[in-house]
Amino acid sequence: DPLWSRGLGDVYKRQVGREATDDFYATHFLRTLFMKPAKEIRVGNIIMVDSKPMIVLRSDVNGSSRTGFTYKWKMKNLLTNTPMENVFRGDDKFDVVVLDKKPVTYSYFADPLYVFMDEEYNQYEIEEENLGDALHYLKDGMECEAVFYDGKAISVELPITIARQVVYSEPAVKGNTSGNVLKEAKIENAVEAHRHTVQVPLFVSQDDVIEIDTRTNEYKRVVRNLSLIHISEPTRPERI
């Protein structure tokens, strides 16, 4: 590649401390030259950890704005399929690998695979372990982006916010609108076994539609009229 011969191989060597012989880098390195802090990494992103390409499958956030946040990630090595867990600070930075993406919608569950479809009716099968937190929000026709590696769909990225109906919750407490006291609410899911529980304020009722931040899996607000909700699109990293 002429670009490689113009010195990017040296950039690679300076960044990761070894020669550019790895097949993964030979194919994808030209699109990894930007970094993000841990607080901006989302489930489904591909990042470099110890010079290895890892897909983030789950992210648990702990801490507060006063003490600072930490992020516990469940990851998998794309080259070896080896699982890994680690905890990072919000300002720890990582190289983000920009792989090909395509808008898709969730179609159906074909045990043990989950099938997504693009606008040309091409179907893509993704393993359960690669979906991570996306399993919490499965819904027929759910819009998301499939992430591809070596021509295969390996994960999906959800919109930043998503709306789901509460299918079960304890009765609402009238007059309590503070949101300081929380209770559990189970949300709809196309696969009942994956119905997820979200902490919501006491005033939230069964059958309410709530907005959830998919980065933290946290309740944001009640949406009583679906036509008024604006669902943010997945953030698209700038391609180098």
Side-chain angles (χ1 to χ4, degrees):
D1 191 311
L3 286 176
W4 193 267
S5 65
R6 291 179 204 167
L8 285 179
D10 293 334
V11 175
Y12 170 93
K13 186 176 180 180
R14 287 197 302 271
Q15 287 200 352
V16 301
R18 57 190 175 86
E19 298 290 347
T21 57
D22 188 286
D23 289 342
F24 180 87
Y25 276 105
T27 304
H28 299 290
F29 174 65
L30 296 182
R31 292 186 288 169
T32 67
L33 293 178
F34 75 99
M35 303 186 79
K36 277 188 175 183
K39 62 185 177 183
E40 295 181 12
I41 302 297
R42 303 188 54 217
V43 170
N45 284 173
I46 313 298
I47 61 174
M48 303 305 297
V49 178
D50 296 330
S51 303
K52 300 178 179 64
M54 310 291 292
I55 179 172
V56 180
L57 300 176
R58 181 181 176 87
S59 177
D60 294 320
V61 185
N62 293 292
S64 67
S65 56
R66 182 175 61 84
T67 62
F69 293 97
T70 60
Y71 297 79
K72 182 179 179 180
W73 291 341
K74 178 181 178 182
M75 300 172 284
K76 186 174 74 170
N77 188 313
L78 281 181
L79 301 180
T80 65
N81 287 325
T82 304
M84 172 183 172
E85 289 191 9
N86 211 334
V87 178
F88 302 97
R89 296 173 301 178
D91 57 358
D92 287 341
K93 292 185 177 181
F94 300 87
D95 281 311
V96 178
V97 180
V98 182
L99 300 182
D100 292 330
K101 300 179 186 179
K102 178 182 290 189
V104 294
T105 57
Y106 174 68
S107 187
Y108 60 92
F109 175 53
D111 194 6
L113 301 172
Y114 295 79
V115 182
F116 295 79
M117 185 180 297
D118 65 20
E119 60 183 5
E120 297 175 346
Y121 302 104
N122 298 308
Q123 295 187 352
Y124 306 98
E125 298 177 336
I126 302 178
E127 293 86 352
E128 178 175 313
E129 64 176 2
N130 283 3
L131 287 176
D133 288 348
L135 288 171
H136 299 331
Y137 306 108
L138 293 175
K139 184 177 180 179
D140 294 342
M142 177 184 75
E143 296 181 354
C144 54
E145 284 190 328
V147 180
F148 293 83
Y149 171 64
D150 197 24
K152 174 179 168 56
I154 60 169
S155 68
V156 297
E157 287 189 8
L158 297 176
I160 292 174
T161 58
I162 206 162
R164 289 294 179 265
Q165 185 176 35
V166 175
V167 295
Y168 177 77
S169 181
E170 294 296 326
V173 177
K174 293 183 179 180
N176 187 311
T177 59
S178 67
N180 294 328
V181 182
L182 302 176
K183 63 177 181 178
E184 293 186 347
K186 189 169 289 188
I187 59 174
E188 62 180 320
N189 196 303
V191 180
E192 188 171 350
H194 293 310
R195 283 185 175 174
H196 181 55
T197 298
V198 179
Q199 295 291 318
V200 300
L202 295 181
F203 58 80
V204 173
S205 301
Q206 185 169 318
D207 297 328
D208 279 352
V209 176
I210 61 174
E211 186 178 74
I212 302 165
D213 188 325
T214 60
R215 296 168 297 184
T216 60
N217 297 313
E218 293 179 343
Y219 161 92
K220 291 192 69 176
R221 65 188 179 103
V222 171
V223 182
R224 299 190 186 276
N225 186 338
L226 275 178
S227 65
L228 298 180
I229 188 172
H230 172 73
I231 302 295
S232 302
E233 294 299 324
T235 54
R236 298 176 184 275
E238 179 181 355
R239 293 179 182 267
I240 303 300

